[in-house]
Amino acid sequence: YAPLTEEPSGIKTNVHRINCGGPTLQDSLGNTWSADQYFTGGYANAYAATSTVSGTADPELFRTERYFLATDVLALGFAGYTLPLPQSGPFEITLLFAEMFHPNLVGLRDFSVLINGVPHPALTHLDLVEHFGAGTAGRITVNGTTSEAVLRVTLVHGTADNPTVSGLEVAQWLPEQSSSLPIYRINAGGPALVDADGQAWAADAFFAGGLDLAYGPVLVANTVRPALYQSERFFYFDEAIKGYQLPVANGRYTLRLHFAEMYEYNQFVGARVFDVLVEGVTVLQQLDLYAESGFRSAMVITLPDVVVLDQVLDLTFNHVYDNPTISGIEVFPGGVAATTPAATTTTTAPTTTAASTTTTTTTSS
């Protein structure tokens, strides 16, 4: 990455709030911090709820951490976090630290942090006691611009003990809603790909829970982009959060969801049934992929008027029978998608969102 040379344009939008080493929680300002995710290597650690943390209204954020051993790099080639971004360009990252293990003595911990492989003076040779004091919450904010839609936060050992981090907060300046181009095209459960129309789909990102599953090069009907449906993310019933949390600027969006019943033992009506919620409101009730589209046959459902007021587009799933699944997600600015895939069949059904009445369009892709 490189330093910012001018004031970014667009709307500053939170992209990630991660409680490193800990569970999902809500801070004193009402912000939700996701459970620890996007890490490579390291170990989660939690200190007692009675541990004193000064300098913060949110001590629970600093009572957990992810620390990294020198052997993580040897075994995995990387130790830290790989954070997907909505876009390349300007970013701001805040790292949360607290020295909860060592007493109030300087020199017992020393480490550095690289952002996309680049050192920063504020993140070099960190001694948390020297910087903040023992048992004291600390934050270091760095901004810059990146040529790729990812931030790699690498924790590097120094002269003493292990690197540690308690939280990560990332913001970007997202564009105003004036473009008909998609904000997101995500291949749920799969890698980045380019489809037959030349459209680029990002690798799976911004998910909460679930497992990815790939079926290999099997035939998929009703689509010119079978590779999109040959992978999926499915969600178990006992997961606390099941779905996606997509950072966006507040406003109206069109959401396009891609589904296919790919599991060979689900070739009957009622085999898989689930609800789909957007912004906490049920928009698709008792969706049965086999009943709607058949076996290994692509289906696209368009939700043309989704209102976001908290800078996060929440897509979640509820179980009815078997595990909810999704193959692809597209998000467009405004109330109508830029283009609709060529359809062999189209049906419409009224749906209600949190802010308005919308039409749900089901097509093939």
Side-chain angles (χ1 to χ4, degrees):
Y1 81 99
L4 286 178
T5 57
E6 59 185 11
E7 184 69 20
S9 60
I11 301 172
K12 188 178 180 181
T13 303
N14 176 264
V15 176
H16 295 289
R17 287 190 180 97
I18 298 175
N19 181 24
C20 298
T24 300
L25 62 80
Q26 190 172 67
D27 66 22
S28 59
L29 297 177
N31 299 314
T32 298
W33 293 71
S34 72
D36 201 10
Q37 59 181 325
Y38 299 123
F39 54 82
T40 299
Y43 297 87
N45 187 41
Y47 295 92
T50 55
S51 301
T52 300
V53 185
S54 61
T56 180
D58 299 294
E60 65 274 18
L61 262 175
F62 297 88
R63 291 190 182 116
T64 61
E65 65 182 2
R66 179 163 290 273
Y67 68 92
F68 297 85
L69 302 178
T71 52
D72 290 334
V73 177
L74 296 175
L76 304 171
F78 170 75
Y81 286 79
T82 304
L83 306 175
L85 301 177
Q87 61 186 23
S88 59
F91 68 88
E92 179 181 273
I93 181 169
T94 299
L95 299 94
L96 281 61
F97 301 105
E99 183 54 77
M100 301 295 293
F101 183 74
H102 290 298
N104 199 26
L105 295 174
V106 172
L108 298 181
R109 191 188 303 274
D110 175 78
F111 66 97
S112 299
V113 180
L114 310 180
I115 307 297
N116 282 4
V118 178
H120 189 282
L123 296 170
T124 301
H125 288 296
L126 289 174
D127 182 325
L128 301 183
V129 170
E130 184 177 21
H131 277 71
F132 311 113
T136 302
R139 298 172 184 256
I140 297 177
T141 298
V142 172
N143 57 38
T145 184
T146 176
S147 60
E148 50 187 333
V150 67
L151 284 183
R152 284 180 293 275
V153 181
T154 308
L155 286 95
V156 181
H157 280 72
T159 59
D161 209 350
N162 298 310
T164 180
V165 62
S166 292
L168 295 169
E169 189 171 21
V170 179
Q172 279 198 294
W173 286 262
L174 301 184
E176 302 279 353
Q177 297 181 38
S178 59
S179 172
S180 61
L181 297 176
I183 299 169
Y184 294 104
R185 275 196 175 105
I186 296 174
N187 179 21
L193 62 84
V194 177
D195 66 21
D197 294 326
Q199 299 174 146
W201 295 74
D204 200 12
F206 301 110
F207 50 83
L211 294 174
D212 57 274
L213 180 62
Y215 291 92
V218 297
L219 294 177
V220 184
N222 288 332
T223 183
V224 296
R225 47 184 70 86
L228 180 66
Y229 300 91
Q230 289 164 359
S231 66
E232 66 183 16
R233 178 161 292 275
F234 69 91
F235 301 88
Y236 288 121
F237 77 95
D238 58 350
E239 294 181 277
I241 302 177
K242 302 182 283 288
Y244 286 79
Q245 298 169 332
L246 304 169
V248 295
N250 290 344
R252 294 181 181 272
Y253 295 89
T254 291
L255 182 60
R256 203 150 63 198
L257 307 178
H258 296 254
F259 300 100
E261 181 52 77
M262 301 294 292
Y263 188 52
E264 61 181 315
Y265 297 109
N266 280 1
Q267 297 184 56
F268 58 92
V269 173
R272 187 196 308 271
V273 182
F274 58 93
D275 300 331
V276 179
L277 295 81
V278 176
E279 292 297 278
V281 176
T282 302
V283 295
L284 298 169
Q285 192 166 25
Q286 297 196 7
L287 179 63
D288 184 329
L289 300 184
Y290 184 84
E292 294 286 344
S293 190
F295 180 59
R296 293 186 176 171
S297 179
M299 179 175 67
V300 183
I301 296 178
T302 299
L303 304 169
D305 195 17
V306 174
V307 178
V308 176
L309 301 175
D310 61 355
Q311 297 190 338
V312 179
L313 199 168
D314 290 299
L315 171 67
T316 53
F317 303 94
N318 282 343
H319 281 70
V320 177
Y321 193 81
D322 205 351
N323 297 313
T325 181
I326 188 166
S327 294
I329 301 168
E330 295 177 277
V331 180
F332 292 86
V336 179
T339 58
T340 301
T344 55
T345 59
T346 302
T347 60
T348 61
T351 306
T352 301
T353 68
S356 60
T357 300
T358 68
T359 298
T360 302
T361 304
T362 306
T363 69
S364 64
S365 171

